Amino acid sequence: MHHTSPLSQIYLDANATTPVLPQAAKAALGAMEDLFGNPSSSHITGLKAKSLMEQTRLRAKQILGSGQGNIIFTSGATEGIQTAILSALTKAKASLDPNKQYSLLYGATEHKAVPNSLAHWNQLLEIGAELKAIPVDDKGALDLDFIAAEVPNALMICTMAVNNETGVYQDLKALDTCIRKHNPEVFWMVDCVQALGKRPLALAQTSIDYAPFSGHKLYAPKGIGFVYIRDGAPFTPFIAGGGQEGGLRSGTENLPGMAALNQVFAMLLAEQDSAFHSLSTLIDYREQLAKALKRAFPTLVFNHSFDNSVPTTLNFAVPGFSSKEIMDLFDAANIRVSSGSACSSKVTRSFVLDAMGLPAWQSESAIRLSFGPAMTQSEVDLACERIQSAANALGNSCLTLSSNEAAADKQPLNGLVQLKSGSSCSWIYADQESKQAVVIDPLPELDQRIDTLLQCQQLEPIAFIDTHGHADHVSGRVALAARYLPQQASDHLGWPVDHQLTEIGARPAQAISLGQYSLVKLATPGHTNDSISLLLCSPQGEVIYAFCGDLVLMGSLGRTNFDSSCAKQMYNSLKLLHSLIGDDTLLCPSHDYNNEFTTSFAAEFRVNPLLNEVINGTISMTQFEQQKARLDTHLKDEAGSEIICGAYTGGCSKAKVKEYDSQSLQLQVGQSPQLKLLDIREPHEYALQHELGALGEQTINVPMTRLVQFVQEHKQESDAEWVLVCRSGSRSLVAAQALHRLGFNKIAHLKGGYALSDS
C-alpha cells in the first residue's frame, strides 16, 4: 500500500533515543570500512583500532572529569547498571552481619531498570536485603531526611542525575554530603544517562562509585555505552570471556559504536565544529516550545518545575485528554512525542508523576516532549507551527471549540456517539434534522467533552439520563442538567417528568421525542432495583438501540450483589427486554470492560451460556438466582475486567482476525475491487493525514467513537470485505475483533497501521 504524507517528521522524543549525527554515522562507517581491525590484534590494523578506542576513552574521561576512575565500554546503560549492582552486592555479601537487616535504596522516580535489577541480583546472590524507594517531593527532589534515616543500614543506594520522564535533576553535591555523613561505606550508583551533554559532570570530585551512560541518548548508535567506576570501588566483571577491556568486560569491542561516540565526545569538548548548543540556547528553545504548547492548548499544565529540570524535557498534560489521544493527534501531525518512558509505553499512567504526588489525571494524561542539545532554531520554529496545526485539527472531532471555521471543518453529527473513560461508557444520540440530542449515562470525567461536543455541533440536549442509580461510581448527570436544563423537572435518574405515554410490545410505556424518533423508558430492574433500559425507536416503531445500563454487559451479566440488586428481577428483565428487541438489536451497556463496543442477544448467546438458558427457558428463575449468587461471590468490590471476563463466561478470548501487511493489502485491493478500507482514527487524525494513494477512493473514515453507529448501519453487509486501519494497528485489531464477534465474517485489519505502510 502506498501511503504518502505531506508533512515532514518533527522528532521530539530524544529522551527515548536520538538520530545518529551525520559526523558520528560517518565515523562509524569509517570504522566498519577502514578501521575494521580487532583492537586485541597486535598487527598494525589492530593497533589502529586500539588507538581509536583509547582516544574515545580519553575523551570520555575528560567530559566526565573521571580522574583516576575507570571507563569501561558496554552495550548500553542497562549493562552498566548490572555491572555496578553486581560489583557492589558481591562485595557487600562478603561482610554481611547475619543478625542485621539490610536495605537497598533507590529513588522512587528511578528508571525501572534500576529497582528491577536490584531485586534480581538481591535474589540471585541470596542477600535478602529489603528494597526501599526513596520518596520525592512535588518537584521530584529526593527526600534527604529519608536517606539520612535509612542509609546507615543500606548496602547500596541508587539515584538519578536527570530523570528520563520529567528532566528533573538532583542536587548531587547535597546527596553526596548526606549519604557520606550517614554511611561513608555504602556503595552509590548514579544513573547519568540523561545527564550527558545536558548537565556538568565532575565525577572524580564526588564519592559516586558507579555511573552508567548510553550512547543512543546522545546521537550515537544503539548498542554502545560506557560505565564509570570510581578508583578503588569494588568491581566484578559482568561479562567474562576473552579478557577484553583489561579483563573488566570481555567480548570483541564495538569499534563502530566507539568511533561514533568519539565524534560526539569531540563535539562536546568543542574540539571541532560542534552541533551542540549552549545551555542558554536550549533554555530559549524550551521557552519557545512551552509558549507554543500553551497557545495551542490554553488549559495545559506542566508536570514539573523548569527550575530544577534540564531544558530539553517538557512533561505536560492537557485536561480532558488522555495521553494516548494526544499521542495519536501528534503522530497524525507527524510530531513524535512520548507518553512517558519509552521503555514502558504500554503503562497507562506515570509512576514518576505518581511518586511526585501529582493528581491522577495528570499522571494518566502525561506527555513527554524532549529534544537533544543539537536541536536547531528552524526545527523549533517548525515544531511550534505544527503543534498549533495539530491543536486546530481537534475541531474536526468537536474536541475543542475553534474560532477558526476553516480549521474545524467538522462533519455534522447525526446518530450515535460512544464516549469512554476507562471501562465506562457514555452515549450521545444526536438528531441532526431537529438539532436535538440525548445523553445517556454521562460520566463526570467526560463532562467537558460532552459539553464541547454539544456546543460544537450546536445541539440542544433534551435530557441527561442515567440507566441506574450508581452504587459504585458517580454520575455526571446532575452538573450537565443544571447547566443545560435548569428548569426541567425529572426523576432521580434524569427521566423528564414531562413525557408522553406510548406502547411497546402491547405494554404501556413512557416516551420522549427526539426529532422523529422516540426514546422509550423500560423498567428493567436487577442490577439495581431502579435500573431502566432506554429504547430508541424509529417512526415505524423499530427499536434501533437498547441502552441497557448494566443489565447485559459484553460477555457477561451485570452484578447483582449490591444492596439494591435482585437476581430474580434481572431474570424477568432479561426475558422482557429480549421479547421487545429480539436477537439482533444492538445493546449499548454502560460498561465495556474488554473493548467490545456493543453487543446483541445473538452475540451474547454465543459466549454467555447463562443468558442463553434464561432466554430459552431451560433454567428456572430460582436456578438462575442460585447460579448468579455463586458468580457474584467471585466479584471483588471493583469489577475489574479480568473478573467480569472470567466469572460469567469462563474466559474472554478474542477471535483471531485476518491481518494484512501493506504489500499483501495492496495485492488484495487489486484482486477484490469490492474491498473497502475503514479508517477508524478520529476525524482530527484523519484530517491531518489521510493520503492513501491507490486506496484513497475505497476509504471511509469511521472513528471508533462512531463504530457502533457503523455496525447498526451495515448489519446487512456483514459478509462484505472490510479492512480496518489505524495509526499503529492496535485500535484496528481491537475493533476488528469486536466486529467479528458481531457477525462480520470477513473483517480484517492492517497490521502495523499507517506507521508501517510504505511511504
Side-chain angles (χ1 to χ4, degrees):
M1 181 175 68
H2 180 66
H3 166 59
T4 59
S5 169
L7 302 174
S8 58
Q9 174 177 265
I10 303 293
Y11 187 79
L12 295 172
D13 196 20
N15 285 12
T17 194
T18 52
V20 178
L21 282 174
Q23 301 94 318
K26 183 179 179 181
L29 186 62
M32 287 187 275
E33 292 180 340
D34 302 320
L35 285 174
F36 56 83
N38 188 325
S40 297
S41 299
S42 57
H43 49 63
I44 291 176
T45 304
L47 292 173
K48 288 181 178 180
K50 186 174 183 179
S51 175
L52 172 62
M53 183 175 73
E54 293 310 320
Q55 183 188 49
T56 308
R57 197 188 315 274
L58 180 61
R59 282 175 170 165
K61 286 188 170 188
Q62 288 179 262
I63 290 167
L64 303 184
S66 62
Q68 298 302 308
N70 283 315
I71 299 294
I72 302 171
F73 292 108
T74 64
S75 61
T78 300
E79 184 189 328
I81 291 168
Q82 311 311 305
T83 301
I85 293 174
L86 176 63
S87 298
L89 296 191
T90 299
K91 177 65 175 178
K93 184 180 180 181
S95 55
L96 292 179
D97 181 346
N99 299 314
K100 185 176 179 180
Q101 178 62 51
Y102 295 97
S103 63
L104 299 171
L105 304 180
Y106 65 94
T109 56
E110 203 83 10
H111 191 290
K112 288 299 184 184
V114 172
N116 290 348
S117 299
L118 282 170
H120 174 75
W121 291 110
N122 184 45
Q123 180 183 23
L124 207 63
L125 295 173
E126 298 181 329
I127 289 175
E130 181 182 0
L131 268 69
K132 293 186 178 182
I134 307 166
V136 297
D137 63 17
D138 58 357
K139 285 193 171 185
L142 289 166
D143 186 336
L144 296 182
D145 290 337
F146 181 92
I147 293 174
E150 296 288 342
V151 80
N153 296 319
L155 300 176
M156 188 175 194
I157 181 170
C158 300
T159 65
M160 264 184 140
V162 175
N163 185 266
N164 55 303
E165 287 193 32
T166 61
V168 167
Y169 57 78
Q170 299 297 330
D171 185 338
L172 295 181
K173 186 175 181 180
L175 279 171
D176 201 334
T177 301
C178 178
I179 291 169
R180 295 312 171 193
K181 178 181 178 181
H182 296 94
N183 190 342
E185 305 302 321
V186 71
F187 300 117
W188 181 21
M189 182 188 79
V190 177
D191 176 351
C192 289
V193 169
Q194 297 291 345
L196 189 63
K198 304 167 190 175
R199 291 287 294 166
L201 293 169
L203 296 180
Q205 296 176 26
T206 73
S207 67
I208 295 170
D209 295 296
Y210 309 97
F213 296 84
S214 180
H216 77 98
K217 306 290 186 178
L218 196 72
Y219 305 106
K222 297 167 185 64
I224 186 66
F226 52 102
V227 60
Y228 159 83
I229 300 169
R230 182 181 57 80
D231 185 33
F235 181 82
T236 297
F238 176 64
I239 298 178
Q244 290 86 349
E245 286 286 271
L248 302 179
R249 196 272 189 185
S250 295
T252 302
E253 296 88 345
N254 177 2
L255 202 66
M258 292 178 192
L261 265 184
N262 193 38
Q263 287 301 306
V264 171
F265 291 160
M267 286 187 280
L268 281 176
L269 293 167
E271 292 178 0
Q272 53 186 247
D273 290 340
S274 179
F276 299 122
H277 297 293
S278 66
L279 178 63
S280 61
T281 298
L282 298 179
I283 291 173
D284 187 48
Y285 288 168
R286 176 175 65 184
E287 184 67 18
Q288 293 175 57
L289 288 165
K291 286 181 178 178
L293 287 167
K294 288 292 285 184
R295 276 195 305 269
F297 306 99
T299 59
L300 175 148
V301 295
F302 290 104
N303 295 326
H304 59 109
S305 169
F306 290 179
D307 294 339
N308 68 326
S309 55
V310 294
T312 51
T313 301
L314 296 91
N315 193 300
F316 63 89
V318 182
F321 290 88
S322 69
S323 57
K324 186 181 187 310
E325 286 174 319
I326 297 296
M327 277 273 294
D328 289 341
L329 169 69
F330 275 39
D331 239 21
N334 251 344
I335 306 169
R336 308 293 178 242
V337 294
S338 169
S339 58
S341 169
C343 303
S344 57
S345 58
K346 292 186 179 180
V347 176
T348 57
R349 59 190 294 155
S350 166
F351 75 91
V352 171
L353 300 183
D354 286 343
M356 291 167 62
L358 269 64
W361 77 265
Q362 284 178 246
S363 176
E364 292 165 357
S365 303
I367 291 290
R368 180 186 68 186
L369 183 158
S370 55
F371 57 94
M375 184 80 162
T376 65
Q377 182 63 61
S378 61
E379 289 173 325
V380 172
D381 292 341
L382 187 55
C384 293
E385 179 185 322
R386 193 77 62 77
I387 287 167
Q388 185 63 57
S389 66
N392 291 344
L394 288 173
N396 292 82
S397 299
C398 280
L399 295 178
T400 58
L401 295 172
S402 174
S403 58
N404 183 349
E405 289 301 321
D409 186 20
K410 59 182 182 292
Q411 291 294 316
L413 177 60
N414 190 39
L416 189 63
V417 174
Q418 180 186 33
L419 300 180
K420 295 177 70 176
S421 177
S423 61
S424 299
C425 305
S426 293
W427 301 89
I428 302 173
Y429 189 86
D431 180 69
Q432 187 59 221
E433 185 176 345
S434 66
K435 302 298 287 187
Q436 291 181 325
V438 64
V439 183
I440 299 166
D441 287 326
L443 295 161
E445 299 89 343
L446 297 173
D447 178 290
Q448 179 183 337
R449 186 153 299 189
I450 293 169
D451 184 37
T452 302
L453 180 63
L454 293 173
Q455 291 187 56
C456 178
Q457 290 284 342
Q458 298 180 321
L459 294 168
E460 177 189 349
I462 60 169
F464 299 90
I465 308 173
D466 288 326
T467 55
H468 55 281
H470 294 283
D472 60 344
H473 58 283
V474 178
S475 169
R477 177 184 59 78
V478 176
L480 284 165
R483 192 178 312 153
Y484 281 93
L485 302 167
Q487 307 303 320
Q488 186 183 72
S490 63
D491 67 13
H492 72 290
L493 293 179
W495 182 259
V497 171
D498 183 15
H499 57 259
Q500 63 197 45
L501 296 178
T502 186
E503 282 192 357
I504 183 164
R507 294 173 55 89
Q510 300 175 8
I512 55 175
S513 296
L514 181 61
Q516 294 185 349
Y517 291 81
S518 59
L519 193 68
V520 178
K521 175 184 173 185
L522 187 70
T524 50
H527 170 62
T528 55
N529 59 18
D530 64 352
S531 291
I532 61 173
S533 291
L534 300 170
L535 310 182
L536 183 74
C537 300
S538 71
Q540 295 75 36
E542 177 192 2
V543 180
I544 310 297
Y545 299 108
F547 302 96
C548 61
D550 281 347
L551 180 69
V552 182
L553 301 175
M554 276 70 81
S556 68
L557 300 174
R559 295 164 66 187
T560 53
N561 58 348
F562 294 116
D563 290 340
S564 62
S565 301
C566 178
K568 287 181 179 179
Q569 289 181 329
M570 177 175 281
Y571 179 92
N572 287 325
S573 294
L574 290 167
K575 294 184 77 70
L576 171 63
L577 184 60
H578 179 259
S579 71
L580 295 176
I581 71 172
D583 289 352
D584 298 321
T585 298
L586 293 182
L587 295 164
C588 303
S590 58
H591 287 92
D592 180 10
Y593 290 101
N594 301 295
N595 289 312
E596 292 173 320
F597 301 94
T598 185
T599 191
S600 65
F601 276 103
E604 290 305 305
F605 291 158
R606 291 192 287 269
V607 297
N608 196 331
L610 187 55
L611 178 62
N612 210 356
E613 291 176 329
V614 170
I615 302 304
N616 289 332
T618 57
I619 186 172
S620 70
M621 184 189 301
T622 302
Q623 289 171 319
F624 174 76
E625 186 178 26
Q626 291 170 344
Q627 287 199 34
K628 192 71 173 61
R630 285 198 297 270
L631 292 172
D632 280 336
T633 61
H634 290 87
L635 293 175
K636 299 177 182 177
D637 289 339
E638 307 83 25
S641 60
E642 73 284 354
I643 304 297
I644 288 289
C645 210
Y648 293 100
T649 67
C652 57
S653 57
K654 301 282 185 122
K656 290 192 174 182
V657 299
K658 185 172 184 178
E659 293 185 327
Y660 287 101
D661 58 24
S662 59
Q663 187 174 7
S664 61
L665 180 55
Q666 185 68 63
L667 184 64
Q668 185 68 17
V669 169
Q671 297 174 349
S672 304
Q674 301 305 313
L675 179 146
K676 290 188 179 295
L677 198 68
L678 202 63
D679 188 321
I680 62 168
R681 295 176 301 163
E682 294 306 306
H684 55 271
E685 298 176 75
Y686 189 73
L688 284 166
Q689 188 183 78
H690 65 269
E691 286 70 26
L692 301 172
L695 295 181
E697 295 181 1
Q698 294 173 245
T699 304
I700 59 174
N701 178 219
V702 178
M704 288 180 75
T705 50
R706 303 183 197 182
L707 194 65
V708 179
Q709 171 94 4
F710 170 84
V711 173
Q712 165 63 27
E713 293 175 346
H714 295 82
K715 282 181 182 177
Q716 307 308 316
E717 300 176 66
S718 59
D719 289 330
E721 294 182 85
W722 297 95
V723 181
L724 275 57
V725 183
C726 68
R727 177 182 67 91
S728 66
S730 297
R731 284 176 285 177
S732 61
L733 175 59
V734 167
Q737 289 171 331
L739 290 179
H740 186 276
R741 182 177 183 271
L742 292 163
F744 286 74
N745 301 315
K746 295 183 180 178
I747 203 78
H749 88 115
L750 178 62
K751 186 177 182 180
Y754 292 130
L756 300 186
S757 62
D758 297 333
S759 58

